[in-house]
Amino acid sequence: MSATKKKNQVNAPAPERRRELLDTAAEVFAAQGYNATTVRKIADAAGMLAGSLYYHFDSKESMLDEILSTFLDELWEGYDAVLAAGLGPRETIEALVTESFREIDRHRAAVAIYQKESRHLTDLPRFHYLADSQRRFEKAWLGTLERGVADGVFRADLDIRLTYRFVRDTVWVAASWYRPGGRHSPEEIARQYLSMVLDGIAVGG
C-alpha cells in the first residue's frame, strides 16, 4: 500500500462522526432556522472549531442537502413499498401514516426542517428536488383517498383535497413535539391518530 493511500485512509472522516455532525446540524437548523444558522453555531454545538467542520462539509448548504435528501430517500423507500403492496385504500392510508411516524422517529429534526423551510428552499437550484417530492407526496395521498371514495370505503361526500391537507398536517406537525424513546412507539402513535382520523371518514359497517 502506498504512503499516499495510507495517509488518505488516516485522514478520511469516519462515517460515524459525519453522521453525528449531521445530527447536530439538523437539531440546530430545526431550532434556529436555516438562515439564522451559521457554520460556527453548528461547530459550537458539535464542540469543535468552525474551521474543523469544513474538513467534513464544504458549506452549511451541503449539510442541509444531505440531511433532507437522506430523510426523503428513506421516506420514499417506505412509501414506495406501501404503494406497491396492492393494499386496499384504508390499509394504504394506515400504512402511509405508520411509515410517516416511523420517519418522524428516525428523522425528527429533518422533518421539522422540511416543514419550516421547504417552501423557500425550493427556490434554490440545489433543492429543487423538494418540490418534486412534494408533488409525489400529494399524488400518493390524493390518489389513495380518491380510490377509497370510488371503492365506497370512504364517504362519497368527502372533500379529497381538504382531507389530504388535514391528514398531512395532523401527522407531520407531530415532529414539533415528538421525541424518540418516549412513552409511545411510532406505531402506537400512528394507531391512535388513525383511530381518530378514520372514524371520521370511513363508511360505517
Side-chain angles (χ1 to χ4, degrees):
M1 184 182 295
S2 69
T4 300
K5 188 171 184 179
K6 286 182 180 179
K7 182 178 179 181
N8 287 340
Q9 286 182 341
V10 171
N11 291 338
E16 296 81 7
R17 181 55 174 161
R18 184 182 180 87
R19 184 71 258 162
E20 289 173 0
L21 292 174
L22 285 172
D23 288 344
T24 298
E27 293 294 340
V28 178
F29 285 135
Q32 301 188 18
Y34 177 67
N35 289 333
T37 298
T38 63
V39 171
R40 180 175 297 279
K41 287 181 179 179
I42 297 171
D44 287 346
M48 64 195 304
L49 297 174
S52 299
L53 195 59
Y54 285 111
Y55 177 63
H56 300 271
F57 306 96
D58 60 15
S59 65
K60 72 170 188 176
E61 184 179 73
S62 293
M63 299 185 79
L64 184 64
D65 184 13
E66 190 163 341
I67 290 165
L68 292 177
S69 62
T70 298
F71 153 59
L72 288 173
D73 286 347
E74 274 197 26
L75 177 71
W76 279 107
E77 182 178 351
Y79 271 25
D80 286 342
V82 169
L83 296 170
L87 302 173
R90 179 178 178 125
E91 291 75 20
T92 299
I93 291 292
E94 291 172 343
L96 290 175
V97 168
T98 301
E99 189 60 38
S100 298
F101 276 105
R102 287 173 178 155
E103 287 305 311
I104 292 173
D105 182 64
R106 297 183 191 112
H107 299 287
R108 185 203 60 79
V111 173
I113 296 166
Y114 183 84
Q115 292 288 95
K116 296 176 184 176
E117 309 280 358
S118 60
R119 183 169 297 179
H120 70 263
L121 284 174
T122 54
D123 294 333
L124 303 176
R126 188 166 190 165
F127 295 98
H128 281 174
Y129 64 85
L130 296 178
D132 294 336
S133 182
Q134 179 57 41
R135 284 190 288 269
R136 289 178 66 192
F137 189 87
E138 185 171 301
K139 181 179 179 181
W141 285 84
L142 289 176
T144 303
L145 289 167
E146 288 169 353
R147 183 160 59 95
V149 171
D151 291 353
V153 176
F154 301 143
R155 292 196 332 246
D157 64 341
L158 204 65
D159 185 316
I160 298 298
R161 187 162 292 274
L162 184 60
T163 303
Y164 156 68
R165 289 172 176 165
F166 170 74
V167 175
R168 176 197 64 191
D169 294 347
T170 299
V171 170
W172 292 109
V173 77
S176 66
W177 56 261
Y178 179 83
R179 293 296 180 273
R183 178 180 176 186
H184 299 294
S185 69
E187 292 78 12
E188 175 58 27
I189 296 173
R191 283 194 293 271
Q192 293 290 336
Y193 269 58
L194 285 163
S195 176
M196 291 183 280
V197 170
L198 292 176
D199 283 347
I201 67 173
V203 174

